[in-house]
Every structure is written in C-alpha cells, then in structure tokens.
Amino acid sequence: MDVTENIHSHRYRYRAKAGLPFTICTVLAIMLSACGAKSGHFRIEGRFKNLNQGEFYIYNPDAATIDLDTIKVADGRFVYDVPLEDKTIFVIIFPNFSDQVVFGEPGATAKIKGDASHLREMEIKGTDDNKLMTDFRLNANKMTPPETIQSVEAFVNEHPKSPVSLYLINKYLVTGQHRDYTKAYKLTKIILQTNPDNGAAIRLSKQLDALRQCAIGSRLPDFKVKDIDGNTVSRNEVLNGKINIVTTWASWSYESHNILRTLKRLKKQYGKDIAMLNICLDGNKSDYKRNTERDSITWPTICDGKMWETPLLGKMGLATVPGNIVADSKGTVVARDLDGKQLEERIKSMMK
C-alpha cells in the first residue's frame, strides 16, 4: 500500500466528540489575521523560517473516525481553523515524518514559531497547555532519558489536571524507548484522583492494567472473536506458528502501513512459520476489508468498528498504533511494541 497515494486519494472527514460529522476546513492566508479563533472553533497560526512553501498533515487521534487533513504553507506562514466543542489534541506530521502534538480548545488559538531546519526547537504558545508542553519539550531536549522520566513524574504531580500529563505518560512511559507500565499506571491513578471522570485516563488505566498482565514472559491470553470475513478465530487456531505476531493498524498511521508491508514480505519468505493476527483501529470495516483485499493481506484481521473500545485490544494490553506483540511457539510473549526494523530483526533472529 502506497501511503502517499492513500493520503491523496481520499477526502478526509472525521467526527467531533459530540458525534456530529463535519469536514475539516484548511484556511490558507498570506498574512496571519490578528484576531483569534471564533467561538466553537480552534485555530492554529504559524510561521517557519527556511520553509517558503509546502504542506503538513494533521489529524485528531481522539476523533471517532481518524483521517488526515492538509495544512498549506505559503511564504512560510499558515493558518488552520477547525470546529471544536471540547478540549482535544491534534498531531501535526511534518515532511520529514516527525510529528508534534498541539493541544486544542474551543475559542483558542495556538501560535507556532520555529525554524523548519530545527523542528525540535519550535515553540507553541497561545494556550496554557501548549505553553506547558513547549516548556517541557525544550527542557527535555537537554536531558538524559532517566532525567526526562523524572521530569514526567514531577510534571504529573504538579499538573494532574492538564491533558499534557496524560500525553507525557503515553509518550515516555507507554510508547517510548524506556517503557515502564507500572510507573505509568501509578501516574495515571494520580490523574484520576483529581479527575475521576477523565475518560482518556480511565481507558489508559485499563490498558495499562492489561499491559502488566500481558507483559514479556507471560502467555498470550485466550480469545475467540470474529474476523472481517465473519469467521470465528481463536488463539490456538490462529497463533500456532514458530513465531506469533499480533499487530495494530490504522489508515491514519504511517508506521503501521510500513510494518504491514514488512510483515507481508516476511510472511512470503517464511510461510507457515510465522502466524499473524491484525487488529484494525479504523471505524469503517468495509474500507479496511477493501484495503486488505487490494494489498493481498491473507492473515486474519479483527475490525469491529469500535476502535479503541475493541475488546481484544484491551485484553492484549495494546495501547498504541502501531503496536505489536511477538510470542514464541509456546505462546510466551518475547517482545512488545517494536518498530519496523526491530520487528524484522527479532523475527529473523528467532528463525535461526
């Protein structure tokens, strides 16, 4: 599947938290307007040095149906305006495939300033949450990994009500190189103590609880679910190879596309020695079925349209896209959440 072709061949739509469909509107302006976002809208204004023209992609990972929109850049400037009814986050994907989170809130404007050749140093201000995130990120650029983890703990304890806290837990303790699910679980509980109705924190707490139970060294849990063809599949029927892999995939995730292509190539090379199960996080089952048929994906795929509420996702303790679990012939988990290169290296080493 060619990701670029996939991006440009769709009209991107998603649902707001209230469930009402709308099309994201990208506003291109040569000069930035001095006024802020109007009520019920969130606005991103920006200016980059060393980037005269171009485009970024942006998506909202909290949306019910997640797709990409485009932000156009002209004379180094850009303006993006979107209807918004509640606080949420947006992720901007830059041409070098790095990304940056922006915290959105109704009636607010986030202002981005930086140098396109030094994206790590960009500043995002205009709201309290974006200023907090910018300050943390710029300080973290100068820290060692252990110092960064300590700073995450300190930040969560100081700002438990800020959505930045939950983002930092995800980034550094759940999906980062120095994962610590137990510490992430404890910090998430701190957030829930101050805001017990925080839905995102509740979901993460449940996922982390499952992650701790499906950790490296444990056995894959039993399951019996329907795949996209309506067939009932179970752990023993599907994951019975020398190497067994469970992956997550979504149309809006570049890296999950890349991993799927890598697995397809390795499956062709090793055949029945590799057994796989894919969990799709897209909300539209029919779209995913067309994609798998077009790209000749032959192993079972689960796509119930429930996205992050998919029961098997929680049972496996998978909390990210892309995400994966690697198990040996006995069903013992030997690795989790590897990137594409690491996944290929692990598979090849296990086949020796």
Side-chain angles (χ1 to χ4, degrees):
M1 179 186 302
D2 184 276
V3 178
T4 304
E5 177 184 351
N6 183 53
I7 290 171
H8 289 289
S9 63
H10 290 75
R11 294 181 62 85
Y12 298 106
R13 300 177 65 88
Y14 65 78
R15 292 181 182 272
K17 287 188 174 182
L20 299 175
F22 62 87
T23 302
I24 300 178
C25 299
T26 301
V27 181
L28 174 62
I30 300 302
M31 298 298 293
L32 296 179
S33 170
C35 61
K38 59 185 178 181
S39 176
H41 280 239
F42 174 62
R43 181 185 181 97
I44 300 175
E45 299 177 352
R47 181 176 185 178
F48 277 114
K49 296 178 181 178
N50 295 315
L51 179 64
N52 188 46
Q53 292 186 340
E55 62 183 22
F56 311 140
Y57 296 111
I58 186 169
Y59 69 92
N60 175 359
D62 289 339
T65 302
I66 301 171
D67 284 302
L68 299 170
D69 193 33
T70 304
I71 298 179
K72 299 289 186 181
V73 182
D75 289 344
R77 300 173 182 265
F78 55 91
V79 178
Y80 177 83
D81 186 271
V82 60
L84 193 64
E85 297 181 3
D86 200 359
K87 281 190 173 185
T88 187
I89 66 173
F90 294 89
V91 178
I92 298 176
I93 303 172
F94 295 103
N96 65 353
F97 294 105
S98 65
D99 58 51
Q100 178 58 52
V101 65
V102 179
F103 293 87
E105 56 186 86
T109 298
K111 299 182 179 182
I112 300 177
K113 182 180 179 182
D115 188 326
S117 60
H118 298 88
L119 290 175
R120 281 165 51 92
E121 299 173 9
M122 81 177 78
E123 295 185 359
I124 305 176
K125 298 182 179 179
T127 71
D128 291 341
D129 291 328
N130 283 303
K131 186 179 185 305
L132 284 171
M133 184 66 224
T134 294
D135 291 343
F136 182 93
R137 175 169 46 80
L138 294 179
N139 287 327
N141 287 343
K142 308 169 188 176
M143 296 179 186
T144 64
E147 290 172 337
T148 302
I149 299 302
Q150 291 176 1
S151 293
V152 171
E153 293 183 76
F155 186 97
V156 173
N157 278 283
E158 187 176 353
H159 306 284
K161 294 184 178 181
S162 171
V164 179
S165 289
L166 201 62
Y167 173 79
L168 293 176
I169 293 172
N170 262 305
K171 178 177 176 63
Y172 291 100
L173 296 173
V174 179
T175 65
Q177 292 183 344
H178 303 275
R179 297 178 177 90
D180 188 332
Y181 300 136
T182 299
K183 185 171 291 185
Y185 184 78
K186 291 179 179 178
L187 291 176
T188 303
K189 288 299 184 182
I190 291 174
I191 293 175
L192 287 172
Q193 287 173 4
T194 61
N195 185 4
D197 297 325
N198 187 322
I202 291 171
R203 289 192 296 272
L204 181 59
S205 178
K206 291 179 179 178
Q207 290 169 340
L208 287 167
D209 196 37
L211 274 169
R212 295 186 300 163
Q213 297 178 38
C214 198
I216 294 174
S218 64
R219 286 182 58 81
L220 287 172
D222 290 324
F223 60 84
K224 185 174 287 186
V225 293
K226 295 279 188 181
D227 67 11
I228 56 174
D229 296 315
N231 301 316
T232 300
V233 296
S234 65
R235 186 195 71 179
N236 292 336
E237 292 171 339
V238 176
L239 301 176
N240 54 9
K242 182 177 180 179
I243 303 173
N244 301 285
I245 303 170
V246 181
T247 61
T248 59
W249 183 95
S251 61
W252 42 267
S253 168
Y254 287 104
E255 185 59 26
S256 70
H257 284 268
N258 295 333
I259 288 177
L260 206 61
R261 285 196 293 269
T262 296
L263 290 175
K264 180 182 174 182
R265 173 169 50 81
L266 293 171
K267 178 68 174 175
K268 184 176 181 180
Q269 179 178 352
Y270 294 115
K272 293 182 179 180
D273 284 338
I274 300 180
M276 292 186 284
L277 177 69
N278 197 31
I279 304 174
C280 173
L281 275 295
D282 279 2
N284 192 319
K285 293 185 286 185
S286 59
D287 283 351
Y288 181 78
K289 189 171 182 180
R290 284 195 297 270
N291 288 334
T292 56
E293 290 173 349
R294 183 188 67 186
D295 297 320
S296 302
I297 303 302
T298 57
W299 55 88
T301 294
I302 309 303
C303 185
D304 58 12
K306 296 179 181 178
M307 302 180 69
W308 292 108
E309 302 302 323
T310 297
L312 185 58
L313 199 71
K315 197 167 189 178
M316 292 287 183
L318 288 164
T320 62
V321 175
N324 50 73
I325 298 174
V326 182
D328 62 17
S329 59
K330 297 180 181 179
T332 301
V333 177
V334 297
R336 292 191 60 109
D337 298 319
L338 304 177
D339 62 30
K341 183 179 179 180
Q342 292 170 335
L343 186 58
E344 182 169 2
E345 290 174 350
R346 176 55 68 97
I347 291 171
K348 289 182 176 179
S349 68
M350 293 176 68
M351 291 302 301
K352 292 180 180 178

